[in-house]
Amino acid sequence: MTAEGATAASETAADGAERHIGLIGYGAAGRACAVLLLADARYRLTVLTRSPLEEDLPERLTAVTSLEALLAAGPQIIVEAASAEAFSSMVPECLRAGIDVVAASIGALQSPETGDAVVAACREGHSHLVLPSGAVGGLDYLAAAALSGDIAVTYTSRKPPAAWTAELAEAGLAEEARAREVTLFEGSAPEAARLYPRNLNAGLTVALAAGIERTRVRVVADPSVTTNTHEIAVTGAAGDAFLRFANKPSPDNPKTSMITALSLASAVQRRFDPMQ
Ligand SMILES: NC(=O)c1ccc[n+]([C@@H]2O[C@H](COP(=O)([O-])OP(=O)(O)OC[C@H]3O[C@@H](n4cnc5c(N)ncnc54)[C@H](O)[C@@H]3O)[C@@H](O)[C@H]2O)c1
């Protein structure tokens, strides 16, 4: 570490300044992210929920039920962990208000209107939309390799057939998927995110890093996997790579991957870090 780096690190350690974070959505990922941030006494959270929370709230967490109230509370950063609809209807307004947003529901960006609204809002508010790595990783590698102008990326989502019960039944493939892997979809990342809005955030995250035109997405029901698995295969002028993420469910909430909330909290923490 350079002398400059060491100074920056010690300043961070000594930084007792309060960090006020807004959170849209208090479900599986939002709650887990809140727990992680609140473990550091410098953090306080204002959480936007659809209806008033009828439960004992953790210390340093306040709940509101309108975007107006969330913005009026004056958070430094907002985390969106709600839904693609919530992203489209609220994230541009947060960005226009000059607040950086760390967003989980990246699949919302499959809509060109939403993408345009985000870019216009960032320009108006001099703010940034932060795309966390979420359920995957290696986005820095993808963005760097894409600069060579010559890469091809395949992102494959592999889940146990039980995760695709309705889709397999509808396609008449339920029996086959018990014996061997079945490809449910192959195509572009925006189309995948449009068809599977709750499941294909990772595909769009990969495509936004590598380039939409250079990324193919596959959705596979695979009886040999027991956990949600993501694979990223890259071939390019700078070399080849294969990344595989076998995600464990959150210990507190099996509905969400543990890594998603960790990624949201880590993206928030990095915004305050002098070493970017
Ligand atoms: N980027 C990734 O890799 C990744 C990984 C997992 C999940 N996600 C996305 O993160 C989001 C949250 O996931 P989750 O597992 O926590 O879902 P969840 O259903 O457990 O929680 C979402 C919460 O947001 C609330 N909500 C929805 N719309 C709202 C609105 N307009 N205002 C206030 N609250 C609202 C819901 O009531 C719910 O409590 C989803 O969009 C999901 O697709 C992204």
Side-chain angles (χ1 to χ4, degrees):
M1 187 185 288
T2 62
E4 205 179 333
T7 307
S10 62
E11 274 169 13
T12 313
D15 169 19
E18 183 186 82
R19 300 172 176 188
H20 181 192
I21 310 303
L23 178 59
I24 302 174
Y26 200 49
R31 279 172 190 265
C33 176
V35 168
L36 287 161
L37 292 176
L38 290 172
D40 180 335
R42 288 172 300 180
Y43 283 86
R44 96 181 153 89
L45 266 65
T46 301
V47 177
L48 168 59
T49 58
R50 285 186 209 266
S51 47
L53 289 175
E54 289 173 4
E55 61 189 66
D56 291 336
L57 297 177
E59 245 183 81
R60 290 178 276 116
L61 185 144
T62 308
V64 296
T65 53
S66 74
L67 181 59
E68 200 181 13
L70 178 66
L71 295 177
Q76 293 152 281
I77 295 172
I78 290 177
V79 175
E80 177 282 321
S83 65
E85 294 73 29
F87 179 114
S88 305
S89 65
M90 293 193 241
V91 167
E93 198 167 331
C94 301
L95 294 165
R96 250 195 315 278
I99 305 169
D100 289 353
V101 177
V102 174
S105 307
I106 292 172
L109 290 169
Q110 59 81 17
S111 149
E113 293 76 30
T114 302
D116 290 348
V118 162
V119 172
C122 287
R123 291 202 175 117
E124 200 178 322
H126 304 287
S127 53
H128 290 92
L129 176 67
V130 179
L131 305 178
S133 47
V136 292
L139 305 184
D140 49 352
Y141 177 89
L142 292 170
L147 277 184
S148 74
D150 176 21
I151 61 165
V153 177
T154 303
Y155 161 79
T156 304
S157 161
R158 287 183 190 279
K159 293 188 179 181
W164 295 114
T165 308
E167 290 80 2
L168 288 166
E170 197 180 315
L173 294 167
E175 190 62 39
E176 192 177 338
R178 270 194 278 277
R180 64 187 68 82
E181 69 174 62
V182 166
T183 301
L184 278 166
F185 171 86
E186 191 154 8
S188 75
E191 181 65 0
R194 194 182 63 75
L195 288 172
Y196 309 108
R198 282 198 58 82
N199 291 285
L200 268 295
N201 293 291
L204 204 62
T205 304
V206 167
L208 288 169
I212 300 269
E213 302 304 323
R214 301 180 182 126
T215 306
R216 300 292 293 166
V217 167
R218 295 173 66 222
V219 177
V220 175
D222 185 344
S224 74
V225 300
T226 52
T227 172
N228 292 351
T229 303
H230 308 258
E231 294 168 355
I232 305 171
V234 187
T235 55
D240 300 339
F242 182 74
L243 304 164
R244 184 171 186 273
F245 306 90
N247 291 341
K248 292 203 168 133
S250 160
D252 303 321
N253 191 332
K255 259 189 65 205
T256 191
S257 295
M258 188 177 170
I259 196 68
T260 300
L262 290 165
S263 163
L264 292 173
S266 152
V268 169
Q269 288 170 350
R270 276 201 310 277
R271 302 301 289 171
F272 292 97
D273 198 334
M275 286 194 281
Q276 295 285 319

